[in-house]
Amino acid sequence: MPRRRLLIAAHSGLLDQALALVESLDAEAYRTGVPAAQLAAPGAHLRHVLDMVDCLLAGLPGGVVDYESRARDTRVESDPAAGRVALLRAREALDALSAATPPERLRIHGDTPVGMEGERVLAESTLERELQFLLNHGLHHFALIAVGLRLRGRAVPTDFGLAPSTVRWLATQPQERSACAH
């Protein structure tokens, strides 16, 4: 299977995990974080992850992806139904990339460091590299969602927010081990 299709399939799996989690949460759990631990609500993390995916998709036609131009739709972070719709839309759009012909090279604009506002720092990349980045970025935020929910006493699937390599490694271990930082 070509790399792009593998990465898209991995994204589909990640978004399916998020969809299952969203469907298991009530509205309060979805929009409540853990302020004492500076953890945002699950909905806020989900919105951020989806914003980054949207930035990639929006930038593909012109070959310039601007990760600072996020929509920050507060409905997605506060309403589980809006989060569900956004997840399904992102999954469908990512799946459509399997048949797309994106530019060979992308120019990427990430977060501009403080004090450099107005300057455009562009890096060269590819669609496959950006899909890999977004997978890792999504996993990072899903791990934060899992921590926040667990701190609030909520059950979270044990593999939610874990890298696939960590899940595979844990499966080979003879005893139960902590999944953190492996």
Side-chain angles (χ1 to χ4, degrees), residues 60-73:
L60 282 178
V64 178
V65 177
D66 184 352
Y67 288 121
E68 281 193 3
S69 64
R70 299 188 297 274
R72 294 177 169 96
D73 183 350

Side-chain angles (χ1 to χ4, degrees), residues 10-22 30 39-50 53 83 87 90 134-150 156-163:
H11 268 282
S12 292
L14 190 70
L15 295 179
D16 286 346
Q17 276 191 327
L19 186 59
L21 184 75
V22 168
Y30 182 82
L39 287 171
H45 283 288
L46 180 63
R47 189 265 315 144
H48 174 72
V49 167
L50 292 172
V53 170
L87 277 165
L134 290 175
L135 271 172
N136 291 331
H137 178 259
L139 279 169
H140 162 77
H141 281 276
F142 288 7
L144 292 171
I145 290 170
V147 168
L149 288 170
R150 287 180 181 125
V156 180
T158 56
D159 63 346
F160 188 83
L162 290 184

Side-chain angles (χ1 to χ4, degrees), residues 102-171:
E104 289 280 321
R105 304 292 296 165
L106 298 173
R107 296 180 69 205
I108 307 300
H109 179 231
D111 278 334
T112 302
V114 174
M116 293 182 64
E117 291 81 2
E119 296 188 37
R120 303 283 295 176
V121 179
L122 295 168
E124 294 285 319
S125 192
T126 64
L127 175 57
E128 287 80 8
R129 177 63 193 107
E130 293 309 302
L131 288 170
Q132 185 68 56
F133 159 70
L134 290 175
L135 271 172
N136 291 331
H137 178 259
L139 279 169
H140 162 77
H141 281 276
F142 288 7
L144 292 171
I145 290 170
V147 168
L149 288 170
R150 287 180 181 125
L151 285 172
R152 297 187 69 233
R154 304 289 244 175
V156 180
T158 56
D159 63 346
F160 188 83
L162 290 184
S165 60
T166 302
V167 172
R168 287 189 296 272
W169 180 80
L170 287 171

